[in-house]
Amino acid sequence: MDKTAYMEAAMEEARRALSQLEVPVGCVIVENGQVIARGSNATNHTRNATRHAEMEAIDNLLHLCQSAHLTQQQVAQRFAACELYVTCEPCIMCAAALSLLGITRVFYGCANDRFGGCGSVMEVHKHGSGPCGNNQAEEKGRGFTCVGGLMADEAVHLFRSFYEKGNPNAPRPHRPLS
Amino acid sequence: MDKTAYMEAAMEEARRALSQLEVPVGCVIVENGQVIARGSNATNHTRNATRHAEMEAIDNLLHLCQSAHLTQQQVAQRFAACELYVTCEPCIMCAAALSLLGITRVFYGCANDRFGGCGSVMEVHKHGSGPCGNNQAEEKGRGFTCVGGLMADEAVHLFRSFYEKGNPNAPRPHRPLS
């Protein structure tokens, strides 16, 4: 499979989010050419503003690692060997989380001009993040390679579909009583 | 209770982390003068590098909100009314997550010179973060007030205790076979 096929798999997840009235972002994690974890944005359903597609996919892979009783070092090695595909540029939080987990390669669809953490607003991918209160160099969150523009038009089209319908969880304008 | 008393509660959580061989960072969330959620760093135990003290405390409060069947808007209002106390400056990921959730006031102990997201390396608290792929102004992650230096010496002392013992999950130097 080529990169477009993996992004198409992420796009499927974004379409699933759209069908569930969620902001349509989807993500897959690929290891040795196989999609091993998926996630779609779930902020509305969970009422948790941090449940972005990347965080859902990450947690699904972590669950696999925990089920396999991997050590912390093995978990880090597994993440380092994976590629992550997401339909929209990771935000600052997601970019920092990916850095902490040691992902090395990220591909995204459209840019996130207002909130992007991989070049648009901040460059977390270049410098990496790091654990709270951890001053040990060996545990530093590292930077990662990040390439955008894969199926960007399709990603933007999904956002437009969502916002044309109206985000069901956005505050409503006041209407006069009839 | 004054701010020092809340930070002392966060410090208790950091001591709990230390006793469990975790990087010693602790956090509490305060609403109407009451500690309503607690968290301590759990990255080693969970083998998940994103389980910082703030994320643990946030998830505990979200669990309370979900149990009470709060709407998404009510969850946001509840977070906006809370103060968060953490023994070390939030990292970039945690600062962005706190912004997404709408926390308005954060107090921390010692600075995080290498990875801090609230002034030391990046100023996420000033500008806020935002949802991946979300271009709607009403859902923007906002900035928050962030004040450091509460019981900073005690926070640093706990880190020193941890690193003097040696982080059990740091890579070990190779030793010759005897």
Side-chain angles (χ1 to χ4, degrees):
Chain A
M1 284 170 73
D2 67 4
K3 290 183 177 21
T4 308
Y6 298 125
M7 188 58 85
E8 175 55 39
M11 209 62 73
E12 271 174 32
E13 291 299 313
R15 287 185 208 109
R16 181 202 309 276
L18 183 66
S19 73
Q20 293 168 351
L21 306 181
E22 299 280 357
V23 176
V25 183
C27 178
V28 297
I29 300 177
V30 174
E31 181 188 52
N32 296 328
Q34 298 292 316
V35 172
I36 57 164
R38 295 168 178 268
S40 60
N41 181 45
T43 51
N44 288 340
H45 168 66
T46 59
R47 288 159 284 159
N48 178 345
T50 71
R51 297 315 299 170
H52 294 178
E54 297 94 318
M55 302 301 268
E56 293 281 313
I58 285 168
D59 279 2
N60 287 333
L61 177 50
L62 281 164
H63 184 70
L64 288 180
C65 293
Q66 285 156 353
S67 300
H69 304 290
L70 299 193
T71 65
Q72 198 168 26
Q73 200 169 351
Q74 288 170 325
V75 173
Q77 285 166 347
R78 191 158 190 193
F79 270 88
C82 289
E83 294 180 338
L84 182 138
Y85 292 77
V86 59
T87 57
C88 180
E89 180 186 352
C91 76
I92 296 162
M93 175 190 72
C94 290
L98 294 170
S99 161
L100 288 173
L101 290 160
I103 283 267
T104 52
R105 280 171 297 179
V106 171
F107 300 90
Y108 67 82
C110 62
N112 185 345
D113 292 338
R114 290 185 51 201
F115 305 116
C118 295
S120 292
V121 177
M122 289 192 183
E123 294 187 326
V124 178
H125 67 299
K126 279 198 181 167
H127 312 294
S129 177
C132 289
N134 189 321
N135 294 306
Q136 299 290 294
E138 68 273 18
E139 292 188 35
K140 180 185 170 188
R142 295 189 184 148
F144 50 86
T145 304
C146 197
V147 178
L150 271 180
M151 299 181 71
D153 290 347
E154 175 69 12
V156 169
H157 173 74
L158 287 178
F159 285 133
R160 288 208 181 120
S161 301
F162 179 75
Y163 291 117
E164 278 164 14
K165 281 189 205 173
N167 181 347
N169 286 288
R172 291 273 170 274
H174 293 292
R175 290 184 190 180
L177 293 170
S178 57
Chain B
M1 283 169 76
D2 67 5
K3 291 184 176 21
T4 308
Y6 298 125
M7 187 59 85
E8 174 54 40
M11 210 62 74
E12 270 174 34
E13 291 299 314
R15 286 184 209 111
R16 181 202 310 277
L18 183 65
S19 73
Q20 293 169 350
L21 305 181
E22 298 281 356
V23 176
V25 183
C27 179
V28 297
I29 300 177
V30 175
E31 181 188 50
N32 295 329
Q34 299 292 316
V35 172
I36 57 164
R38 295 169 177 268
S40 60
N41 181 46
T43 51
N44 288 342
H45 168 66
T46 59
R47 287 159 287 158
N48 178 346
T50 70
R51 298 314 300 171
H52 293 178
E54 297 93 320
M55 303 300 267
E56 293 282 313
I58 285 168
D59 279 2
N60 287 334
L61 176 50
L62 281 164
H63 185 69
L64 289 179
C65 293
Q66 286 157 352
S67 299
H69 303 290
L70 299 193
T71 66
Q72 198 168 25
Q73 201 170 351
Q74 287 169 326
V75 173
Q77 285 167 348
R78 189 158 189 192
F79 270 88
C82 289
E83 294 180 338
L84 182 139
Y85 292 77
V86 59
T87 57
C88 179
E89 180 186 353
C91 76
I92 296 161
M93 176 190 70
C94 289
L98 293 171
S99 162
L100 287 173
L101 290 161
I103 282 267
T104 52
R105 280 172 297 180
V106 171
F107 300 90
Y108 66 82
C110 62
N112 185 344
D113 291 338
R114 291 183 52 200
F115 305 116
C118 296
S120 293
V121 178
M122 288 194 184
E123 295 188 325
V124 178
H125 67 299
K126 279 200 182 166
H127 312 295
S129 177
C132 290
N134 189 323
N135 293 306
Q136 300 290 294
E138 67 272 20
E139 293 189 32
K140 181 184 169 187
R142 295 190 184 146
F144 51 85
T145 304
C146 196
V147 178
L150 271 179
M151 299 181 70
D153 290 346
E154 174 69 11
V156 169
H157 173 74
L158 288 178
F159 285 132
R160 287 207 182 120
S161 301
F162 179 75
Y163 290 117
E164 278 165 14
K165 280 189 204 174
N167 181 348
N169 286 288
R172 291 273 172 275
H174 292 289
R175 290 186 191 179
L177 292 170
S178 57

